[in-house]
């Protein structure tokens, strides 16, 4: 057909043509299966600002991979609801909320220590909440902790 697409096919990306054939609206398109990354299973993950928004999406994504997730947030209600939702969706995948304001460096150090004692040395760090215009104290503290860890 000379490289021209079939007029009955609406394409978004290469390889999706079959899924989009004769679809009247985007709501009818079934989402592809989510990717699994077996090498992430069991890894300790630390997320700042994980109680809502993009941080909660990170919590869900890592829990779905079987990671041991600890996250800090100051919103106890949203964080508790997220932990409950993760247990309902992912079963035994451990997700822990630690109340912490990331602007309080001492509290942040304690939260990181608590996460390490619960889940083991942090291997994945996601910083979704930092003070505007500053280097993330989360990444500095965790990097220093990882560099001191005998398992590095």
């Amino acid at each position: 057909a000379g490289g021209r697409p079939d007029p009955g096919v609406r394409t978004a990306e290469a390889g999706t043509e079959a899924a989009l054939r004769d679809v009247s609206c985007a709501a009818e398109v079934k989402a592809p299966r989510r990717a699994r990354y077996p090498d992430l299973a069991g890894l300790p993950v630390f997320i700042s600002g994980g109680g809502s928004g993009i941080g909660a999406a990170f919590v869900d994504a890592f829990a779905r991979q079987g990671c041991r997730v600890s996250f800090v947030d100051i919103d106890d209600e949203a964080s508790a609801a997220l932990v409950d939702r993760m247990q309902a969706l992912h079963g035994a995948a451990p997700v822990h909320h630690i109340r912490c304001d990331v602007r309080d460096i001492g509290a942040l150090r304690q939260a990181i220590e608590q996460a390490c004692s619960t889940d083991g040395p942090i291997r994945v760090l996601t910083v979704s909440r930092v003070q505007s215009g500053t280097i993330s104290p989360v990444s500095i503290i965790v990097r220093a902790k990882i560099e001191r860890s005998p398992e590095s």
Side-chain angles (χ1 to χ4, degrees):
R4 300 182 69 176
D6 179 345
V9 175
R10 290 186 286 284
T11 61
E13 296 177 334
T16 63
E17 294 87 358
L20 296 175
R21 186 178 308 276
D22 300 322
V23 174
S24 62
C25 71
E28 293 179 22
V29 177
K30 296 208 186 284
R33 294 181 61 187
R34 293 197 167 153
R36 294 287 298 159
Y37 300 97
D39 55 328
L40 289 176
L43 287 181
V45 175
F46 187 85
I47 299 171
S48 70
S52 62
I54 193 165
F58 285 133
V59 169
D60 177 53
F62 284 111
R64 191 177 335 114
Q65 298 301 324
C67 297
R68 297 186 314 261
V69 180
S70 289
F71 71 94
V72 294
D73 203 290
I74 58 173
D75 186 340
D76 293 329
E77 188 175 325
S79 297
L82 177 62
V83 169
D84 291 344
R85 195 165 55 250
M86 293 301 95
Q87 286 181 316
L89 288 173
H90 306 299
V95 173
H96 305 100
H97 167 241
I98 304 166
R99 186 178 208 302
C100 178
D101 184 337
V102 298
R103 297 172 294 182
D104 181 340
I105 301 300
L108 182 57
R109 285 184 191 278
Q110 288 178 346
I112 291 168
E113 288 295 330
Q114 183 179 342
C116 290
S117 69
T118 301
D119 298 328
I122 296 165
R123 292 293 173 240
V124 179
L125 170 66
T126 302
V127 180
S128 59
R129 172 62 178 102
V130 297
Q131 280 183 272
S132 179
T134 64
I135 296 173
S136 167
V138 177
S139 60
I140 293 168
I141 294 167
V142 170
R143 186 175 66 220
K145 184 145 189 67
I146 289 171
E147 289 170 356
R148 289 192 317 261
S149 173
E151 295 178 27
S152 296

